[in-house]
Amino acid sequence: MSLRHALLGLLADRPMSGYQLTRAFDGSLAHVWSARHSQIYPELARLRDKGLIDLVDEGPRGRKTYAATPEGIEELRRWMLETDGDRGGRDPAYLRVFFLWLLEPADAAAYVRRLAEHHRTTLARYEAAAAEGSPTTARERAFRVALEAGIRHERALLDWAGWALHELEPSR
Amino acid sequence: MSLRHALLGLLADRPMSGYQLTRAFDGSLAHVWSARHSQIYPELARLRDKGLIDLVDEGPRGRKTYAATPEGIEELRRWMLETDGDRGGRDPAYLRVFFLWLLEPADAAAYVRRLAEHHRTTLARYEAAAAEGSPTTARERAFRVALEAGIRHERALLDWAGWALHELEPSR
DNA sequence: GCCTCCATGTAATTGGTTACATGATTCT
DNA sequence: AGAATCATGTAACCAATTACATGGAGGC
């Protein structure tokens, strides 16, 4: 169950509310995991029941801020090293690429161009994030390492899209 | 619902049984989508009810072979062009990378080395598949294009792992 | 006063995994 | 005869999305 550990990981860094966690899944974490608030709030309640997180503050508008407990961090560390059971990633965008042959060449090319556009914007966003300030803490350095994976991934697929457009030309 | 369209895409290429489809998800498709037989068989029944696939043959051991109908291919084409609603990919292996700072440096390095090993074997498998014969049909050429995305993805992350190991050295 | 964003929750439904259950064919 | 593989299905459970529902705080 990765959602649980994603929440623990975020809360191990700093205390956050369910609302802030929801927004974290729309940000830098979006390409590796995501979740809606309707899944997050009940999961936070379960994590609290198990003593893996603590309610550390209550603010305006009913805001509840949680932090990971030592037991929570322990559980997260355990999960980090327990790699088997990882199932292959799921990616509808690249599932479609397997079936491009069913489209008219013009539609297939348009699809690949749209993918390229998407990779281009994401890459720019990541590169901008990487450019601002150099990491100092272990946490910041690890984040930079994760970001680099995203950058190389986006760059590789952007290059691929260019190659693919050439390869899919009907004339060839 | 991507499973439905993955099945349609596979059956658009050639008629297959539920068992063969199950194995297809363990093969080249594994890194973009996967499903167990317990999900596939009921879905095939639903697809048949909707007239998107036909039962074209029954063989030994109760084997049932299905093929996509024209309506099925039409539905698949529609899905190919309807890209919104794609949610970000999910990848527990790279979710862990965001939390590497929580591990002892030695454990973090071991984790990255394991990722590298995984990318190395997958890359070798893809490159071997790419090396055998040159594609002739539109279907084969599109498959080669999809394979190339896999190759570049694996290569990029293998390179990343090497860089990350250097970057995570405690001495730095 | 109204709009936007902050903030949390529940209910209904669909998607996906694990476990249960059965049996035929082929190979050795 | 026994093992491996082929082959299909159902049931129970867990994970995730969509829709429903409510209200406070801050800006204009």
Side-chain angles (χ1 to χ4, degrees):
Chain A
M1 202 204 290
S2 296
L3 171 64
R4 161 164 308 173
H5 298 101
L7 293 172
L8 279 173
L10 289 167
L11 294 178
D13 179 29
R14 65 198 158 88
M16 280 195 258
S17 67
Y19 187 81
Q20 288 176 301
L21 289 161
T22 304
R23 290 199 315 174
F25 282 115
D26 295 334
S28 49
L29 230 63
H31 74 293
V32 290
W33 209 263
S34 70
R36 316 259 176 224
H37 79 273
S38 57
Q39 198 186 0
I40 290 168
Y41 289 118
E43 186 62 36
L44 286 172
R46 278 189 289 269
L47 283 167
R48 198 190 169 195
D49 282 349
K50 296 200 175 191
L52 301 176
I53 61 174
D54 265 342
L55 177 61
V56 291
D57 189 40
E58 293 196 64
R61 286 168 268 192
R63 174 183 200 140
K64 295 180 187 171
T65 303
Y66 298 94
T69 62
E71 292 77 36
I73 300 210
E74 201 37 56
E75 164 58 24
L76 182 57
R77 285 217 179 93
R78 196 200 52 69
W79 171 77
M80 294 283 293
L81 298 170
E82 167 234 59
T83 29
D84 31 72
D86 275 17
R87 47 207 186 293
R90 291 198 152 137
D91 189 339
Y94 280 86
L95 176 59
R96 286 193 182 86
V97 172
F98 277 86
F99 306 139
L100 278 181
W101 61 280
L102 284 157
L103 295 182
E104 301 297 322
D107 286 339
Y111 182 73
V112 174
R113 256 183 243 111
R114 234 183 308 157
L115 278 181
E117 201 45 54
H118 178 256
H119 290 307
R120 211 182 330 268
T121 27
T122 311
L123 178 59
R125 196 153 47 80
Y126 289 174
E127 279 176 337
E132 54 181 53
S134 44
T136 48
T137 65
R139 153 74 179 64
E140 282 168 356
R141 277 171 56 195
F143 184 84
R144 181 64 187 74
V145 167
L147 187 59
E148 182 72 18
I151 289 174
R152 294 185 185 224
H153 168 83
E154 297 299 327
R155 205 178 277 147
L157 290 178
L158 181 56
D159 288 352
W160 165 84
W163 175 89
L165 278 173
H166 179 254
E167 200 68 14
L168 289 170
E169 265 170 37
S171 55
R172 296 189 74 249
Chain B
M1 200 206 291
S2 295
L3 171 64
R4 162 165 306 172
H5 298 100
L7 293 172
L8 279 173
L10 289 166
L11 293 177
D13 179 29
R14 64 198 157 86
M16 279 194 259
S17 67
Y19 188 82
Q20 288 176 301
L21 289 161
T22 303
R23 291 200 315 174
F25 282 114
D26 296 333
S28 47
L29 231 64
H31 74 293
V32 291
W33 209 262
S34 71
R36 315 265 176 218
H37 78 274
S38 58
Q39 198 185 0
I40 290 169
Y41 289 118
E43 186 61 36
L44 286 172
R46 279 190 288 272
L47 283 167
R48 199 191 168 193
D49 282 349
K50 297 200 174 188
L52 301 177
I53 60 173
D54 266 342
L55 177 61
V56 292
D57 189 41
E58 293 197 61
R61 285 169 269 192
R63 174 183 199 140
K64 295 180 188 172
T65 303
Y66 297 93
T69 62
E71 293 77 36
I73 301 212
E74 201 37 57
E75 164 58 23
L76 182 57
R77 285 217 180 93
R78 196 199 52 68
W79 172 78
M80 294 282 295
L81 298 172
E82 167 233 58
T83 28
D84 32 73
D86 275 16
R87 48 205 184 292
R90 290 199 151 136
D91 189 339
Y94 280 85
L95 176 59
R96 286 194 183 85
V97 172
F98 277 86
F99 307 140
L100 277 182
W101 60 281
L102 284 157
L103 294 182
E104 300 297 323
D107 285 339
Y111 182 73
V112 175
R113 256 182 242 112
R114 235 183 307 157
L115 279 181
E117 201 45 53
H118 178 256
H119 290 309
R120 211 184 328 268
T121 27
T122 311
L123 178 58
R125 196 153 47 80
Y126 289 174
E127 279 177 336
E132 55 182 52
S134 46
T136 48
T137 65
R139 154 71 180 65
E140 283 168 354
R141 278 171 55 195
F143 184 84
R144 181 64 188 74
V145 167
L147 187 59
E148 183 72 17
I151 288 174
R152 293 185 185 224
H153 168 82
E154 296 299 327
R155 206 179 276 148
L157 290 178
L158 181 55
D159 288 352
W160 165 84
W163 175 88
L165 277 173
H166 179 253
E167 200 69 13
L168 289 170
E169 264 171 38
S171 55
R172 296 188 74 249

